[in-house]
Amino acid sequence: MSLVAMGAALSLSSGAALAANRGSCSGPDPGYPKPNSIKPGESTTFQVWFYCTNGQIGVFLPDTVTLQVSKLPSGVTYSPKTASFKGGDGVTVTMNTTKDVAAGSTVKFTVGAKGKACASYTPVCPVSFQIKPEIKCPKSAKGVCPNVWWFNGVDPQPKNYVTTIETSPGGTDYNWQITSGAQYAQFSNNSATMDTKNKNSVVVEPSADPGTGAPTVSVKVTVKSKDGTATSDEFKLTVLKPYKLAPNGVVDSKDGQGYHSRPTYLLQDQTGKTLPLPVPVRENFNAGSSNLWPGGSNWTAGNNKEQTLLANPTDIHDDLIKSGAGCNILFPKLGQVPCAKPPGTVKECGNQLCTQPVISWTGGVWIGGVAANRLSGVQVMSNSWVLFQDHGRNCSIKSPLSAVTFQPFTCP
């Protein structure tokens, strides 16, 4: 409807004020934009049209008005307070919200005005917009969320790798749904849907191996409140797992009359990022040891007991130690019993004792996230353990297990 036709239809007398709400907000004219639904802490805008006429058809007077907005909920404000317009120009109004506005609520109010050229603008314009819930990671989940971590059947899941997500508080009912990626994750009720009643958080658990990729899981929540029902945008979670050990250097040091070698690794996920928090790691020795020194030696395999340790993912290390107590042979010949010597002594020898392996274990694997059951957890590396006269090494490494064998450290 044109402004001229609108004025004729209303037949207003001089000094009267025409009300807005011609298509603004949720008024009778749906052709004008309405305010968008927003999350707590966001802003939305809309337009209202004010008309001031002197009674002549098609003549609209400019005016400066003070907006009159009905009572708003706590945490909701508007701007500007005053506005100037020429005839039937639109006035843009911004509604601002704070983070603590109740999710799921519908904010309903009216907009009117008091002006100079036209004292009062009636009827007022009804407006409404919805507060959508927002899914986010709790502060307590820093480093883990927004990811879901798979540990190949470890039960219970390592506590510091349990993924909890939350949404805005204040609702009377929370209904969660995994909208995509349900083959990789589920809620704690072993389902892709869960009603947590009036609790605004939910636990997301892994349900399948994400493979070599990093699949995405999408989650939505519908929140009911005393003022209505609203559904969140999708929240994305990435499914990750311990995947490989990346070499991070090796240190050889003296240990009495022997040595202490420590190769170190980074425990990484399938995207190449180091895991964020400590995780249980176990070395499994799947085969026996072999004495490799020609003619035999007095060395034994020593302690190859399997044990699970809570390890720092930036410092996954192996300790290969051989003491040389009682050894008085500095440069044994082939066939003699080799005795461990401090690296600073033996590495200067320049003969094959520095590179001839003495004893080796074969067929071992490293497992990340392992529980008491050694069959659970993700196998991240296989290797052999080799003791030389003056140092120890992890040899014949595969990490991940699907990779070809490589040797990051010198392993003669």
Side-chain angles (χ1 to χ4, degrees):
M1 180 181 289
S2 70
L3 299 184
V4 174
M6 189 184 299
L10 294 175
S11 300
L12 295 177
S13 60
S14 178
L18 289 174
N21 199 26
R22 291 301 182 190
S24 61
C25 315
S26 56
D29 193 342
Y32 294 109
K34 302 177 182 179
N36 295 322
S37 297
I38 57 174
K39 295 178 289 188
E42 294 182 339
S43 299
T44 186
T45 61
F46 61 95
Q47 282 191 320
V48 290
W49 279 262
F50 294 113
Y51 303 98
C52 183
T53 182
N54 60 4
Q56 298 180 32
I57 295 176
V59 177
F60 298 95
L61 305 177
D63 200 359
T64 298
V65 299
T66 299
L67 270 62
Q68 294 182 320
V69 177
S70 60
K71 186 177 180 180
L72 295 170
S74 174
V76 181
T77 58
Y78 71 94
S79 62
K81 303 299 182 182
T82 61
S84 297
F85 60 89
K86 298 177 181 178
D89 288 349
V91 174
T92 299
V93 181
T94 300
M95 305 303 297
N96 305 297
T97 64
T98 60
K99 288 283 188 179
D100 56 358
V101 175
S105 63
T106 299
V107 180
K108 297 179 180 180
F109 56 98
T110 60
V111 178
K114 183 178 181 180
K116 295 180 179 179
C118 292
S120 179
Y121 287 75
T122 57
V124 294
C125 177
V127 189
S128 67
F129 64 93
Q130 201 169 51
I131 305 294
K132 297 188 297 184
E134 178 185 16
I135 300 176
K136 58 184 179 180
C137 299
K139 293 181 179 179
S140 59
K142 184 178 180 181
V144 174
C145 186
N147 302 310
V148 178
W149 295 86
W150 185 78
F151 288 98
N152 190 25
V154 172
D155 188 19
Q157 181 102 342
K159 290 183 179 180
N160 54 350
Y161 280 87
V162 173
T163 300
T164 299
I165 56 176
E166 66 181 16
T167 187
S168 314
T172 58
D173 186 77
Y174 294 85
N175 196 287
W176 303 83
Q177 179 183 5
I178 296 177
T179 55
S180 66
Q183 67 270 40
Y184 296 109
Q186 60 191 5
F187 297 121
S188 56
N189 64 346
N190 301 322
S191 173
T193 60
M194 187 172 183
D195 189 340
T196 57
K197 307 304 180 184
N198 59 357
K199 183 180 179 181
N200 69 317
S201 64
V202 70
V203 172
V204 184
E205 300 177 342
S207 59
D209 186 349
T212 58
T216 297
V217 173
S218 300
V219 180
K220 281 187 175 183
V221 63
T222 298
V223 180
K224 292 182 180 179
S225 74
K226 62 180 181 180
D227 296 318
T229 300
T231 300
S232 70
D233 295 331
E234 285 187 331
F235 182 77
K236 306 291 186 181
L237 293 160
T238 304
V239 186
L240 299 175
K241 67 178 182 179
Y243 184 65
K244 66 179 181 179
L245 291 178
N248 196 34
V250 60
V251 175
D252 297 307
S253 59
K254 297 180 181 181
D255 189 299
Q257 297 182 47
Y259 63 79
H260 181 172
S261 294
R262 173 174 282 189
T264 303
Y265 305 87
L266 303 174
L267 178 56
Q268 296 181 336
D269 62 35
Q270 65 271 40
T271 70
K273 294 183 179 179
T274 301
L275 269 65
L277 298 170
V279 63
V281 173
R282 177 197 291 266
E283 287 179 289
N284 282 352
F285 297 87
N286 295 335
S289 61
S290 301
N291 199 313
L292 305 177
W293 189 258
S297 75
N298 65 349
W299 284 25
T300 59
N303 179 18
N304 62 347
K305 181 182 178 181
E306 298 176 1
Q307 56 181 333
T308 301
L309 300 174
L310 187 63
N312 180 348
T314 64
D315 184 24
I316 305 292
H317 58 260
D318 199 6
D319 288 306
L320 299 165
I321 304 172
K322 204 66 184 174
S323 64
C327 176
N328 55 11
I329 303 175
L330 181 58
F331 301 116
K333 298 178 181 179
L334 288 178
Q336 290 182 305
V337 176
C339 296
K341 286 294 180 180
T345 300
V346 179
K347 282 188 176 179
E348 298 170 358
C349 67
N351 63 24
Q352 81 176 90
L353 296 178
C354 299
T355 58
Q356 172 68 45
V358 178
I359 196 166
S360 171
W361 299 270
T362 58
V365 296
W366 297 60
I367 299 178
V370 68
N373 176 5
R374 62 173 288 179
L375 299 179
S376 62
V378 184
Q379 294 187 4
V380 293
M381 188 173 86
S382 68
N383 66 277
S384 61
W385 288 264
V386 180
L387 298 180
F388 300 89
Q389 188 188 15
D390 67 337
H391 66 285
R393 290 293 183 267
N394 299 137
C395 300
S396 304
I397 291 174
K398 285 187 177 182
S399 186
L401 268 61
S402 59
V404 297
T405 302
F406 72 101
Q407 191 51 57
F409 310 125
T410 302
C411 204

